[in-house]
Amino acid sequence: MTTDGSKRLLVAIINDPDTIDEILSGFIELGITGATILNSEGMGSVLSHDIPIFAGLQTLISGSRPQNRMIFSVLPASLVDSAVELLQEISGDLEKPATGIVFTLPVDRVEGLAPELGGEGNPI
């Protein structure tokens, strides 16, 4: 756990879109007050529909073209472990296939965040 005020970009791909509201509510409880959510599709899903040779992949994926959700959030490095634990509690063990993916990247500069999110004059 870091307490140096550094920030991380948390990127989570969640395979069960029905869990997004619960995840975001949990983020708020942790003090993570901003995130962007995008619809996304995995490579296997695209290939199984668009390239005939990969059609057999469809049996590994549900009958329809599944939509994942991607969560992007800039957060204090000190909250990364708690955020990942929350994602695993809600989504399930991320080590299991077709559950989701989460990773973080260091953030060197942020412009445009609200002060409570660590913008200028109120570092996180």
Side-chain angles (χ1 to χ4, degrees):
M1 182 182 294
T2 347
T3 57
D4 63 1
S6 62
K7 299 171 191 68
R8 300 289 184 270
L9 172 64
L10 178 130
V11 178
I13 296 93
I14 305 300
N15 287 9
D16 183 357
D18 294 334
T19 62
I20 291 299
D21 288 344
E22 187 178 356
I23 290 169
L24 297 179
S25 294
F27 275 9
I28 290 171
E29 289 177 21
L30 291 175
I32 301 167
T33 56
T36 297
I37 314 302
L38 300 174
N39 292 335
S40 62
E41 253 184 286
M43 182 176 161
S45 173
V46 172
L47 290 177
S48 69
H49 285 285
D50 297 340
I51 301 175
I53 195 166
F54 292 105
L57 287 175
Q58 187 58 35
T59 59
L60 300 174
I61 303 170
S62 67
S64 64
R65 200 167 183 151
Q67 289 286 312
N68 303 324
R69 299 293 183 270
M70 291 183 71
I71 302 171
F72 296 90
S73 183
V74 175
L75 61 146
S78 61
L79 291 178
V80 168
D81 290 340
S82 298
V84 172
E85 287 174 20
L86 175 82
L87 288 166
Q88 296 229 92
E89 285 174 19
I90 295 170
S91 299
D93 184 358
L94 295 173
E95 296 300 319
K96 293 183 179 177
T99 303
I101 299 167
V102 65
F103 62 91
T104 61
L105 300 167
V107 174
D108 295 325
R109 180 176 174 167
V110 177
E111 300 291 336
L113 282 183
E116 66 273 12
L117 300 178
E120 194 62 36
N122 190 4
I124 53 178

